[in-house]
Amino acid sequence: MEKFKFLIMGAGPSGLAFAHTLLRHGERSFVVMEKEVQAGGLCRSKTVDGSPLDIGGGHFLDTRIPHVVDFLFQFLPKDQWTIFERKSAIDFGDYSVDYPIESNIWQLPVEKQVEYIEAVAYSGENMGVNTPEKFQDWILWKLGRKIADDYMFPYNRKIWSIDLEELGTYWIDKLPSVSFREVLFSCLSRKPFGKVPAHQTFYYPENYGYGEVWDRMGRELGDKLLLSMPVRTLDAPNRTVNRQISADIIINTVPLSSFELAGVPGDIQNSIASLKHAGIQIDYYNTNLESDKQWIYIPNEQVSYHRILNRKTFVNGSHGYWTETNLRRAVETSARVAVNDFSYPINTREKPMLMKKIAAFFSGLNIYGLGRWGTWEHINSDIAVKQGIELAEMLLNKTTK
Ligand SMILES: Cc1cc2nc3c(=O)[nH]c(=O)nc-3n(C[C@H](O)[C@H](O)[C@H](O)COP(=O)(O)OP(=O)(O)OC[C@H]3O[C@@H](n4cnc5c(N)ncnc54)[C@H](O)[C@@H]3O)c2cc1C
């Protein structure tokens, strides 16, 4: 039996940031267990058809958090990243509109603009109706029938592949927020108005895939990173993993449902089993698209994939494109390059209550949830890093007092 002060489960961005923060504070009694052969989690890349491809789906660095930027640029310096202006669109088949549609209705033929504006004008929000609690109702309430039927309902049915009735609204601050007044302003002045979506400008490595920065972080951990070493069992009260390694504090960044738990009461096990997630398949095609958009959303439900990543627009010297398809809609194809079982935590209405219960139980045993799967939050990699740094500093402070 090996014993450490800290055991970190998972070497994605959150686990890596946690581990490097320990090292920076001189703490060396830790180990990181990772099931894959390479660090980086959903942010990994591999070479496909001569150029990098992000195997967890298209990844871009967009952060305004200075200490996260400083942290990342220590592994891949700033001058090795390119800054891009976001160009993304929604493809409706016979026409296409920049994202988000509510800021870009002005790009449509006038007759269509009138239909969309009229529907927004009669939406619940503009008719003084209270904010609904289900995501499906919120879409209609906020955006009106036309945007709901043409884009938001079909696109969300594709990406989540569950009944939209199950989703809550506590996460909608991640979505664009455009008022009716801003819709009118944008149509009359023929330019976008309203809160801009994420990744308005973003960084992507100049000569590598997004995975490079995390791969370097993993390699710098040396023998503290155990690759191809999955967590198979966790004896929670004794903080022992695989009956082999134990620690004073365990940091969990992996889905709790992906290994066997001992010493965990039935109602906590049931809460874990009730958490929902979506996986995606990545398919690569070596033909070039004519579009200059970096990514394109596809709401058409007859098409299996929901997003296209136009690789040649952001990976130097590359060609081709890849698609992202929810695993429930995906079929095995010769174009398949990656399958990720855990891609998106799903924001069901009961999730906040389930996570509160799960986190309270495990933190009582000195097992802390961190990152996308440890908190079951739809966070980006910059937030995973921020949380990793902050949790490590908090626990180091606590244990040295
Ligand atoms: C399609 C898509 C697009 C995205 N786009 C962006 C973007 O543009 N910009 C951005 O910043 N973020 C983006 N994200 C989010 C980003 O992927 C996450 O924020 C980030 O990967 C979270 O890091 P993490 O360490 O918490 O989790 P993960 O990256 O999921 O890492 C978890 C790690 O745990 C390992 N693991 C799992 N089970 C076990 C086990 N039993 N034993 C040991 N190890 C295990 C996994 O192999 C993995 O390495 C996107 C996500 C998706 C799905």
Side-chain angles (χ1 to χ4, degrees), residues 279-281 283 304 325-333 336:
I280 60 169
Q281 173 170 308
D283 291 290
S304 59
T325 310
N326 184 295
L327 288 183
R328 292 192 181 186
R329 303 171 56 89
V331 288
E332 200 180 325
T333 66
R336 185 166 89 180

Side-chain angles (χ1 to χ4, degrees), residues 12-14 34-35 41-42 58-60 199 231 372-373 379-381:
S14 57
E34 167 56 51
K35 75 176 165 71
L42 283 167
H59 275 77
F60 308 95
H199 301 344
V231 173
R372 197 166 174 92
W373 305 107
I379 53 167
N380 272 344
S381 57

Side-chain angles (χ1 to χ4, degrees), residues 201-362:
T201 58
F202 59 84
Y203 290 97
Y204 195 84
E206 194 180 352
N207 296 312
Y208 307 96
Y210 193 59
E212 178 69 14
V213 64
W214 317 101
D215 191 39
R216 290 185 184 194
M217 249 181 239
R219 278 186 271 131
E220 285 194 26
L221 288 176
D223 62 3
K224 304 224 153 285
L225 171 61
L226 309 178
L227 294 170
S228 307
M229 178 69 92
V231 173
R232 295 188 201 284
T233 61
L234 168 65
D235 172 346
N238 295 308
R239 288 185 300 280
T240 301
V241 170
N242 297 354
R243 300 179 186 87
Q244 206 182 333
I245 305 178
S246 71
D248 297 337
I249 295 176
I250 291 186
I251 305 302
N252 176 44
T253 78
V254 319
L256 283 167
S257 53
S258 66
F259 50 81
E260 198 186 306
L261 286 164
V264 175
D267 73 316
I268 300 294
Q269 301 248 21
N270 290 340
S271 298
I272 293 169
S274 302
L275 293 171
K276 297 208 167 157
H277 68 278
I280 60 169
Q281 173 170 308
I282 309 295
D283 291 290
Y284 170 74
Y285 301 91
N286 66 4
T287 46
N288 277 340
L289 300 173
E290 281 188 8
S291 171
D292 68 340
K293 307 295 181 197
Q294 290 123 359
W295 62 94
I296 302 163
Y297 303 99
I298 313 288
N300 181 352
E301 286 177 280
Q302 305 309 313
V303 177
S304 59
Y305 49 83
H306 54 265
R307 190 164 76 135
I308 296 176
L309 273 294
N310 194 7
R311 179 167 75 163
K312 71 174 197 303
T313 60
F314 58 92
V315 177
N316 254 342
S318 73
H319 59 274
Y321 66 95
W322 76 79
T323 58
E324 299 174 0
T325 310
N326 184 295
L327 288 183
R328 292 192 181 186
R329 303 171 56 89
V331 288
E332 200 180 325
T333 66
S334 56
R336 185 166 89 180
V337 288
V339 171
N340 306 287
D341 289 331
F342 286 88
S343 296
Y344 295 106
I346 297 187
N347 287 320
T348 55
R349 281 184 281 145
E350 72 268 29
K351 187 198 80 175
M353 177 271 293
L354 297 171
M355 278 312 295
K356 203 168 159 194
K357 223 156 72 171
I358 295 167
F361 171 78
F362 282 100

